[in-house]
């Protein structure tokens, strides 16, 4: 007789409030449902009540972990609407800030993964060592999490030679942290035992549910907006798109661990080749029309759509966040999984419900129920 | 209180504050060394930490959790969303501020507050002193903390209130004075006001330890005198702003009009209502003719 198990919504085992309903037989999950909306704040409506400049702070607060990439994607879309040409130096600086953000986001994910696998020592070590990157952000931008670094037309704070030196120093320390994480994931690693074969998402299924970012790349699909549709200065920087074949939790961990090295490579290249010049161009007038922008957030592809009526307030802003696309992957992975692994599987996509919930109610009218109960 | 058990309740924020609360558990900050532990059930907790602005959907759960918290039921609101709803103020599902739903004892402002601020706040609440030996207790240069207004420099123009992303800055015109009120518990600390300030009077400082239990005191204010209209005697514009604008016109933008500075000053000292009178329009036209003659003469001489 199958029984129902509920996870959440307000359980601090999950970082954010979300409710999962699992149908369990024995110790296996046979079906999973999810209820969203605990974090819905009506941001898309709020976007249409503020000016383009003021919306930067709002875009930043969609998500507190990948806050920078939200403002970047928003700013890039508005720049296209306004016909602003971003200075070369600002493009490189954007790459540096965004890759630093990817590093901090990936390390945070490893911390939370270790926590959900009850590896509290690893959790404490990773969370402790990743502090230096938050300190670096505070030093570079004036705040640890909501950096407010991007503006329409460029960035707001420059990287001086002393700051560049400090970044290089921090990267050296982070490299050893990445090495440590890689050692946990090698054939006899502590995390390997607990993650191998857990929450497998086969390649076909990953494409079918529309997964993005590291989740998709861990299932053997090469997809990265930085390569496919380069923005900022990514077309001039040399890096590799990391792909793993297995599709399980270990593959997802490996993708993220190896990506941290690529991010460091990007930052070092950008620092070496930093062109001189302005860090921001003056914003112009938005033309009447619509634009779409996309970036590769730490969690995957992030899309902004903005419709302008020529005034200084956007008429419509639509955001498609990576976690929203990946949520359906959770349901696919939970089916057939052991109940004890449920939490790790949910954490495996690096869910960011602050991102997701802003989207879900927009779709409510067309039938959220239908979408949530994937067959 | 011997032992503090904290239950975290996140209700519709951006997550940043919640991450910072978790960050406090890292060995470096040592929340645990203050005798604080984070528990996973409200029944085991005696302190409730709130983050996020509060939504319709989380309302029942919040009230339920508050019921279950053990005495002394200390409630701490971390971050500006839980204190004043911050940038989500006018969002349709937002029901906060949370102190309307349940009694809140302490507020830790910030967007998000640094872990150092949270640790200091907890230490203050417990009455413990912490040593700040390490470098990371200091704020780096360019840190965006509490605002400070330079009373000498501020001209009361209100540009900061115009650009403000979260309606944190209010401009209140009284009978004689204009008050610029920075309500920093409603602020996102984006520093657009600092960038926008024409006289660089408004600055975000390194002050981050902002624990308070009285929201009325959590603001930075400045007063500027308003100018009286030369015709009707009513107040309409800050004195300093007129001086600043005039100085900018005759010294930076158009030095050729320097001889006319007293006449320009007379023209701008008239309030918007009186400017529409026939006499004022005639006077203004005469001044404009003079100015354009002067400009033409200068151009011809060149």
């Amino acid at each position: 007789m199958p029984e129902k198990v509920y996870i959440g919504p307000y359980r601090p085992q999950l970082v954010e409030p979300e409710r999962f309903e699992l149908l369990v037989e024995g110790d296996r999950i046979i079906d999973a449902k999810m209820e969203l909306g605990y974090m819905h704040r009506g941001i898309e409506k709020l976007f249409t009540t503020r000016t383009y400049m003021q919306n930067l702070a709002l875009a930043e607060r969609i998500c507190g972990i990948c806050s920078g990439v939200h403002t970047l994607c928003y700013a890039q879309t508005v720049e296209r609407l306004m016909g602003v040409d971003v200075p070369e130096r600002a493009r490189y600086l954007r790459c540096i800030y965004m890759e630093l953000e990817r590093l901090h986001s990936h390390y945070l994910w490893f911390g939370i993964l270790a926590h959900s696998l009850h590896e509290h020592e690893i959790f404490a070590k990773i969370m402790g060592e990743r502090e230096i990157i938050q300190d670096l952000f505070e030093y570079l931008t004036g705040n640890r999490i909501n950096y407010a670094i991007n503006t329409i037309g460029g960035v707001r704070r420059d990287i001086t030679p002393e700051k560049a030196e400090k970044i290089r120093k921090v990267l050296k320390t982070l490299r050893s942290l990445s090495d440590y994480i890689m050692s946990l994931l090698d054939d006899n690693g502590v995390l390997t035992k607990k993650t191998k074969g857990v929450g497998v998402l086969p390649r076909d299924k990953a494409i079918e549910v529309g997964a993005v970012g590291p989740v998709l790349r861990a299932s053997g699909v090469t997809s990265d907006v930085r390569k496919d549709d380069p923005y900022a200065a990514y077309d001039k920087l040399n890096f590799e798109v990391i792909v793993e074949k297995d599709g399980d939790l270990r593959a997802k961990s490996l993708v993220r661990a190896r990506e941290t090295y690529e991010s460091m490579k990007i930052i070092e290249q950008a620092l070496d080749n930093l062109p001189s010049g302005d860090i921001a161009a003056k914003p112009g007038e938005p033309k009447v029309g619509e634009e779409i922008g996309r970036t590769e957030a730490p969690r995957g592809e992030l899309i902004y759509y903005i419709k302008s009526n020529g005034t200084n307030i956007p008429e419509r802003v639509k955001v498609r966040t990576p976690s929203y696309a990946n949520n359906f992957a959770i349901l696919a992975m939970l089916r057939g999984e052991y109940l004890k692994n449920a939490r790790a599987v949910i954490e495996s996509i690096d869910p960011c419900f602050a991102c997701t919930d802003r989207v879900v109610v927009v779709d409510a009218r067309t039938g959220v129920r239908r979408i949530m109960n994937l067959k | 209180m011997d032992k503090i058990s904290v239950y975290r309740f996140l209700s519709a924020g951006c997550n940043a504050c919640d991450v910072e609360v978790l960050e406090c558990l890292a060995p470096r900050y040592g929340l645990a060394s203050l005798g604080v532990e984070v528990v996973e059930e409200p029944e085991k907790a005696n302190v409730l930490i709130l983050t996020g602005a509060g939504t319709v959907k989380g309302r029942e759960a919040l009230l339920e959790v508050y019921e279950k918290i053990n005495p002394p039921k200390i409630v701490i609101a971390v971050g500006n969303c839980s204190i004043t709803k911050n940038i989500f103020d006018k969002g349709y599902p937002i029901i906060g501020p949370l102190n309307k739903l349940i009694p809140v004892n302490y507020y830790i402002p910030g967007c998000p507050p640094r872990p150092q601020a949270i640790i200091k706040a907890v230490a203050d609440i417990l009455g413990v002193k912490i040593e700040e030996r390490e470098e990371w207790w200091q704020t780096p240069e360019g840190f965006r903390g509490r605002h400070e207004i330079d009373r000498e420099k501020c001209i009361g123009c209100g540009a900061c209130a115009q650009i403000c992303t979260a309606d944190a800055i209010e401009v209140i015109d009284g009978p004689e004075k204009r008050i610029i009120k920075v309500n920093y518990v409603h602020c996102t600390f984006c520093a657009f006001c600092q960038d926008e300030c024409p006289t660089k009077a408004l600055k975000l400082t390194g002050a981050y330890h902002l624990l308070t239990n009285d929201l009325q005191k959590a603001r930075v204010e400045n007063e500027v005198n308003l100018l009286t209209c030369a015709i009707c005697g009513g107040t309409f514009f800050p004195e300093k702003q007129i001086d600043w604008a005039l100085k900018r016109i005759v010294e930076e933008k158009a030095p050729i009009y320097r001889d006319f500075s007293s006449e320009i000053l007379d023209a701008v000292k008239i309030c918007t209502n009186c400017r529409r009178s026939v006499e004022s329009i005639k006077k203004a036209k005469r001044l404009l003719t003079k100015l354009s003659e002067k400009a033409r003469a200068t151009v011809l001489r060149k």
Side-chain angles (χ1 to χ4, degrees):
Chain A
M1 176 68 191
E3 54 178 322
K4 281 182 179 168
V5 175
Y6 296 96
I7 301 183
Y10 293 99
R11 279 279 172 255
Q13 297 148 351
L14 289 177
V15 179
E16 288 168 82
E18 223 54 64
R19 188 168 175 275
F20 290 88
E21 186 185 318
L22 310 176
L23 204 58
V24 180
E25 206 163 45
D27 54 356
R28 288 267 187 178
I29 301 165
I30 55 173
D31 200 6
K33 290 174 184 174
M34 119 163 111
E35 188 189 343
L36 302 168
Y38 291 93
M39 295 285 281
H40 179 74
R41 284 154 287 164
I43 287 181
E44 288 183 9
K45 173 69 187 159
L46 286 174
F47 265 124
T48 61
T49 62
R50 290 156 203 265
T51 64
Y52 282 103
M53 273 309 244
Q54 289 172 332
N55 276 338
L56 279 165
L58 188 59
E60 185 142 56
R61 278 156 190 81
I62 287 178
C63 170
I65 302 168
C66 43
S67 54
V69 76
H70 272 279
T71 55
L72 175 64
C73 196
Y74 171 80
Q76 281 180 350
T77 316
V78 176
E79 278 153 15
R80 242 178 261 173
L81 265 178
M82 291 181 173
V84 179
D85 198 19
V86 181
E88 201 61 21
R89 188 178 175 87
R91 288 169 186 269
Y92 274 78
L93 290 176
R94 278 178 171 180
C95 285
I96 296 172
Y97 289 123
M98 290 311 113
E99 292 309 316
L100 282 172
E101 178 175 270
R102 194 180 312 279
L103 284 173
H104 109 73
S105 178
H106 280 0
Y107 290 134
L108 177 68
W109 180 80
F110 278 111
I112 292 170
L113 176 78
H115 197 247
S116 61
L117 295 172
H118 307 289
E119 294 286 350
H120 297 293
E121 266 173 40
I122 300 175
F123 165 75
K125 181 174 163 71
I126 294 176
M127 293 301 270
E129 294 213 357
R130 106 179 230 294
E131 271 305 297
I132 53 164
I133 192 161
Q134 302 299 102
D135 287 348
L136 180 68
F137 263 122
E138 198 172 46
Y139 170 70
L140 293 175
T141 70
N143 205 334
R144 288 163 47 92
I145 288 188
N146 291 328
Y147 343 109
I149 190 68
N150 287 302
T151 182
I152 297 164
V155 293
R156 290 174 66 195
R157 292 196 189 183
D158 203 355
I159 291 183
T160 55
E162 304 96 74
K163 287 184 175 176
E165 211 38 58
K166 176 102 184 202
I167 297 174
R168 281 179 217 273
K169 234 165 95 187
V170 168
L171 287 187
K172 211 171 273 173
T173 323
L174 289 179
R175 208 169 283 268
S176 65
L177 180 59
S178 281
D179 290 343
Y180 167 71
I181 291 172
M182 281 305 272
S183 75
L184 296 174
L185 287 167
D186 65 16
D187 289 342
N188 301 315
V190 187
L191 290 182
T192 307
K193 283 175 208 150
K194 293 194 169 181
T195 56
K196 205 167 165 84
V198 172
V200 180
L201 186 68
R203 187 190 152 98
D204 308 343
K205 196 75 189 169
I207 296 170
E208 189 190 318
V209 297
V212 292
V215 179
L216 184 62
R217 291 197 282 274
S219 295
V221 184
T222 316
S223 156
D224 192 322
V225 182
R226 292 175 292 171
K227 268 275 193 281
D228 304 338
D229 181 11
Y231 54 94
Y234 283 114
D235 48 346
K236 292 174 194 95
L237 299 168
N238 179 26
F239 65 99
E240 201 184 314
V241 179
I242 305 294
V243 180
E244 288 282 338
K245 287 208 169 55
D246 297 346
D248 57 358
L249 190 48
R250 179 169 178 248
K252 291 182 184 73
S253 317
L254 274 174
V255 165
R256 289 190 176 96
R258 287 171 59 199
E259 269 179 15
T260 57
Y261 291 103
E262 293 301 314
S263 293
M264 291 177 210
K265 214 165 94 185
I266 294 173
I267 296 167
E268 273 161 5
Q269 277 177 55
L271 284 176
D272 290 340
N273 305 318
L274 201 58
S276 56
D278 288 340
I279 57 162
K282 222 174 142 56
E285 303 252 314
K287 63 166 199 239
V288 180
E290 47 190 16
E291 276 295 348
I292 281 188
R294 53 184 195 153
T295 51
E296 183 76 17
R299 290 164 180 72
E301 184 186 30
L302 170 68
I303 303 175
Y304 265 71
Y305 162 85
I306 302 177
K307 187 178 177 192
S308 154
N309 52 10
T311 60
N312 63 346
I313 294 171
E315 193 172 294
R316 178 81 173 92
V317 178
K318 168 91 185 92
V319 191
R320 208 296 306 270
T321 54
S323 289
Y324 186 65
N326 280 339
N327 271 336
F328 307 114
I330 298 187
L331 300 185
M333 287 186 284
L334 278 177
R335 284 189 196 106
E337 194 49 64
Y338 287 107
L339 183 59
K340 63 176 175 115
N341 291 335
R343 188 181 159 204
V345 169
I346 293 169
E347 293 295 353
S348 76
I349 68 150
D350 199 358
C352 173
F353 296 116
C355 287
T356 303
D357 276 7
R358 185 207 36 70
V359 187
V360 77
V361 173
V362 180
D363 288 31
R365 256 173 266 136
T366 56
V368 144
R369 284 273 160 231
R370 189 179 54 78
I371 302 171
M372 288 302 109
N373 299 335
L374 274 176
K375 292 263 154 56
Chain B
M1 222 177 351
D2 316 327
K3 200 172 160 200
I4 304 181
S5 312
V6 173
Y7 182 80
R8 294 153 38 230
F9 188 91
L10 167 65
S11 173
C14 71
N15 243 352
C17 296
D18 202 44
V19 172
E20 293 292 52
V21 173
L22 267 185
E23 210 77 72
C24 293
L25 295 171
R28 179 213 257 191
Y29 299 110
L31 192 60
S33 68
L34 294 175
V36 179
E37 59 161 0
V38 174
V39 293
E40 302 203 341
E41 273 109 39
E43 291 88 349
K44 291 181 188 161
N46 52 16
V47 172
L48 177 62
I49 284 191
L50 300 172
T51 55
T55 63
V56 187
K57 211 167 174 177
R59 186 197 156 97
E60 291 305 314
L62 173 61
L63 297 176
E64 203 179 296
V65 163
Y66 180 70
E67 279 304 308
K68 286 180 186 165
I69 299 283
N70 297 316
K73 268 195 211 256
I74 293 178
V75 182
I76 307 172
V78 175
N80 285 355
C81 283
S82 56
I83 303 174
T84 60
K85 302 189 274 185
N86 201 358
I87 198 161
F88 305 116
D89 201 340
K90 296 191 175 69
Y92 52 83
I94 304 292
I95 51 161
L98 297 177
N99 60 8
K100 274 191 188 156
L101 297 176
I102 56 170
V104 176
N105 304 82
Y106 298 99
Y107 303 92
I108 308 179
C111 193
R114 303 171 91 195
Q116 290 93 321
I118 300 173
I119 299 282
K120 276 192 181 183
V122 172
D124 275 11
I125 293 169
L126 293 174
V128 191
K129 254 192 101 64
I130 32 173
E131 287 180 55
E132 299 171 24
R133 268 180 298 192
E134 289 87 347
E135 195 196 338
W136 44 260
W137 282 101
Q138 312 299 323
T139 47
E141 199 190 330
F143 180 80
R144 304 193 304 266
R146 191 187 58 207
H147 312 65
E148 200 177 79
I149 304 178
D150 189 328
R151 278 160 206 277
E152 292 296 308
K153 283 186 185 166
C154 177
I155 55 172
C157 64
C160 45
Q162 288 266 326
I163 191 74
C164 182
T165 53
D167 304 326
I169 306 180
E170 281 178 276
V171 175
I172 306 158
D173 279 348
E176 279 165 15
K177 289 189 185 243
R178 168 178 282 189
I179 301 171
I180 306 283
K181 189 151 80 178
V182 183
N183 195 357
Y184 62 80
V185 286
H186 205 301
C187 173
T188 57
F189 297 93
C190 64
F192 275 133
C193 47
Q194 179 182 297
D195 294 0
E196 209 65 19
C197 184
T199 57
K200 305 280 166 240
L202 184 68
K203 275 207 176 72
L204 271 69
T205 61
Y208 67 90
H209 180 38
L210 308 173
L211 173 75
T212 177
N213 51 14
D214 184 3
L215 290 183
Q216 295 305 317
K217 286 183 190 156
R219 55 193 49 162
V220 178
E221 283 184 1
N222 187 29
E223 280 184 355
V224 284
N225 287 332
L226 287 176
L227 191 76
T228 33
C229 168
I231 297 175
C232 70
T235 51
F236 72 105
F237 225 58
E239 269 174 10
K240 280 183 174 173
Q241 191 182 350
I242 300 266
D243 292 345
W244 177 80
L246 191 69
K247 206 171 149 196
R248 208 164 112 97
I249 293 171
V250 298
E251 282 178 15
E252 289 170 31
K253 296 287 171 187
I256 53 163
Y257 298 150
R258 195 169 290 154
D259 316 343
F260 298 94
S261 64
S262 65
E263 277 176 76
I264 297 174
L265 188 62
D266 285 347
V268 291
K269 270 187 171 169
I270 304 167
C271 75
T272 38
N273 283 335
C274 297
R275 252 177 235 178
R276 292 184 193 132
S277 71
V278 179
E279 197 46 47
S280 304
I281 292 173
K282 278 183 184 167
K283 212 172 148 190
K285 273 191 175 169
R286 279 200 293 276
L287 176 61
L288 283 175
T289 323
K290 269 194 206 168
L291 291 180
S292 59
E293 273 169 7
K294 167 86 181 178
R296 199 179 299 141
T298 323
V299 172
L300 283 179
R301 212 178 303 140
K302 278 179 186 166

